[in-house]
Amino acid sequence: MALNYNHLVDRTLKYFSVKTSLSLSDSEPEQAFLKPFITVAREPGSGGAPIAEAVAKKLGYEFVDEQLVEAVARSTRKRKAVIQEIDEKSRTKIEDIVHSILNVEYVDEQDYVTALVQTILSYAHRGNCVILGRGSNFITPFAKGLHVSIVAPYEVRVQRAMDYEGHSEKKAKRVIAEVEKERADFVKQYFSRNLKQRNVFDLTLNTTYFTVPQSRQVIIEAFRQKFA
């Protein structure tokens, strides 16, 4: 029997600036999340994406990143490129109205965030996956997954952007500032939460002195401890 996500979707969306008419379910869907999962939030330049992917590979789990964009594109019947343009970015109401008039392919925020929540819940319900970003720790049942935040000091992240992306120092600082603001604003707009808040994660890992394999092992050990 397919899981009825309406209760979780409605409960999540009630914190958003957009509203939904989805009805509540009489059942408590959290009980149906039988297999654990991992969510990974990350600061730009902290190494969060490769660490999350390494964790998934080591556990034999699915690494969920681009799949979210593809699934939302299918759900909203938009091209993947259109969804990528708004992925993990906030929008003002004026921007939403203007773009909806001028761009026939534009997807409004209610359609986007509803499809995103449903997609993330679907992956979490199946379990055995590592979900990257998109506020997934705020969407999924906290007790049913391990929720990780990957961070590093600003100067470390700038240097990594220069070393691994080939950016100049000026461009590295600009890119990090833009991405960091976009992700923080996205979470604030749709979840009314602060990504810097400490008690919304099981584990916050500073990767200054941790390699990807070392970070992977720390997360896996925490995962095994929570879901022994």
Side-chain angles (χ1 to χ4, degrees), residues 164-182:
Y164 298 112
E165 302 296 332
H167 296 328
S168 65
E169 182 177 0
K170 182 178 180 179
K171 183 175 181 180
K173 289 180 176 179
R174 176 173 58 81
V175 170
I176 286 176
E178 288 175 355
V179 174
E180 195 162 31
K181 184 177 186 306
E182 286 170 351

Side-chain angles (χ1 to χ4, degrees), residues 14-27:
K14 74 179 181 180
Y15 297 109
F16 299 174
S17 60
V18 294
K19 303 300 180 183
T20 177
S21 60
L22 292 172
S23 61
L24 286 171
S25 168
D26 293 330
S27 62

Side-chain angles (χ1 to χ4, degrees), residues 138 184 187-188 191-198 200-201:
F138 299 114
V187 168
K188 183 178 181 180
F191 303 94
S192 299
R193 304 298 288 272
N194 182 355
L195 267 179
K196 300 292 185 180
Q197 188 176 343
R198 295 181 180 180
V200 295
F201 300 101

Side-chain angles (χ1 to χ4, degrees), residues 2-13:
L3 175 66
N4 186 338
Y5 299 111
N6 286 357
H7 177 80
L8 276 177
V9 172
D10 186 81
R11 191 181 69 181
T12 304
L13 291 178

Side-chain angles (χ1 to χ4, degrees), residues 32-136:
F33 287 75
L34 301 178
K35 296 179 181 180
F37 55 89
I38 299 173
T39 70
V40 178
R42 74 287 189 214
E43 291 182 332
S46 66
I51 290 171
E53 189 169 12
V55 169
K57 184 176 181 179
K58 183 69 174 181
L59 291 174
Y61 284 7
E62 182 174 5
F63 175 55
V64 183
D65 181 15
E66 285 297 309
Q67 299 95 314
L68 295 176
V69 175
E70 294 166 356
V72 171
R74 288 194 300 271
S75 178
T76 57
R77 298 182 180 180
K78 303 293 183 181
R79 291 185 299 113
K80 180 179 176 181
V82 173
I83 303 302
Q84 285 176 322
E85 283 296 312
I86 60 176
D87 187 36
E88 286 193 287
K89 296 181 177 68
S90 65
R91 288 177 282 175
T92 66
K93 200 49 118 174
I94 293 177
E95 286 175 334
D96 206 44
I97 293 173
V98 170
H99 282 290
S100 66
I101 295 173
L102 300 179
N103 186 352
V104 295
E105 287 194 304
Y106 194 71
V107 55
D108 67 49
E109 62 176 1
Q110 178 169 326
D111 290 342
Y112 166 72
V113 77
T114 300
L116 178 66
V117 168
Q118 290 173 328
T119 302
I120 288 175
L121 285 174
S122 177
Y123 274 104
H125 170 242
R126 278 182 261 166
N128 294 354
C129 63
V130 178
I131 307 171
L132 184 67
R134 283 83 175 186
S136 51

